[in-house]
Amino acid sequence: RPVRTRSLLALALCMPLVLATVPEASASFPGNDGLVIYSADGDLWVVRADGTGGRQLTSGPADDGYVSWSADGKRIVFRRDGRIHTMNANGRRIRNTGVTGTDPRWYPDGTRIVFWNQFGVSTMRPNGTGRRLIFENSFAENFAHVFRTPSYSVEGYLAVSEFEHELEGSFEDILVEAPPPSNDCGFP
């Protein structure tokens, strides 16, 4: 077991370095059966963690990226040409939510998606309805307060990157909010 643990640790530590060397690609792990999903050259692919069994899920002129598995590994959310889409894990039943955004992530129970855009961080149902702005960006002369790159933990905690810029300086921080009791995603 120690050798396997070390191998998994080495893979976990090396995966970001490997992914950082691939231009215009992003990945999400783990998925159904331990598959890694990633984007390369505007298309989505899945591959086993050991790099074998690669299979293309999307193709065509659209630019697909910012991809993420649902917690159960059955659904995928991604951005296509600036709009958030969902599909089954096999690449079928692609659905356009009609919502503009980036970096979409599933709520752990699969009932909502969190994402960010120029307005801030929002949630919505997988079909694009029920949108709710939960962290609002604000801009003024010589000032910007921006929320971005949301992500849920398995327990439902939401982490959001907060960036503030003023003439005197700037800072970036990570906010973590407890999950709502009934998944209404009514964060502050």
Side-chain angles (χ1 to χ4, degrees):
R1 288 250 186 238
V3 171
R4 183 171 182 196
T5 302
R6 280 184 274 179
S7 296
L8 289 174
L9 181 60
L11 176 64
L13 293 174
C14 291
M15 186 63 81
L17 296 174
V18 170
L19 295 175
T21 62
V22 179
E24 297 186 33
S26 62
S28 180
F29 172 81
N32 197 15
D33 298 327
L35 295 174
V36 175
I37 187 167
Y38 66 98
S39 65
D41 298 324
D43 296 319
L44 300 181
W45 297 75
V46 290
V47 66
R48 290 185 194 102
D50 66 4
T52 63
R55 185 168 48 91
Q56 189 170 4
L57 295 180
T58 64
S59 64
D63 184 21
D64 299 338
Y66 296 95
V67 61
S68 178
W69 289 107
S70 61
D72 64 7
K74 294 180 181 178
R75 307 275 317 273
I76 296 167
V77 64
F78 64 101
R79 187 181 80 171
R80 171 176 277 177
D81 291 335
R83 298 207 181 269
I84 297 173
H85 289 64
T86 62
M87 69 178 169
N88 292 342
N90 62 6
R92 295 190 178 130
R93 295 184 51 95
I94 296 174
R95 300 286 185 249
N96 181 353
T97 66
V99 175
T100 301
T102 194
D103 218 8
R105 299 287 179 248
W106 290 97
Y107 190 77
D109 68 5
T111 59
R112 296 194 70 83
I113 295 168
V114 66
F115 62 95
W116 67 280
N117 59 23
Q118 71 271 23
F119 303 109
V121 173
S122 297
T123 67
M124 67 179 174
R125 292 185 194 98
N127 65 4
T129 64
R131 280 179 269 173
R132 209 175 264 174
L133 182 63
I134 55 176
F135 290 99
E136 186 174 7
N137 292 340
S138 59
F139 302 94
E141 187 176 339
N142 300 318
F143 174 81
H145 194 148
V146 178
F147 298 96
R148 59 185 178 191
T149 58
S151 185
Y152 284 116
S153 71
V154 174
E155 298 84 13
Y157 287 87
L158 177 65
V160 176
S161 175
E162 176 185 21
F163 178 78
E164 189 170 293
H165 178 75
E166 298 179 14
L167 284 176
E168 296 83 32
S170 62
F171 80 90
E172 188 163 7
D173 202 359
I174 303 292
L175 298 176
V176 178
E177 295 289 336
S182 64
N183 189 19
D184 65 1
C185 291
F187 291 102

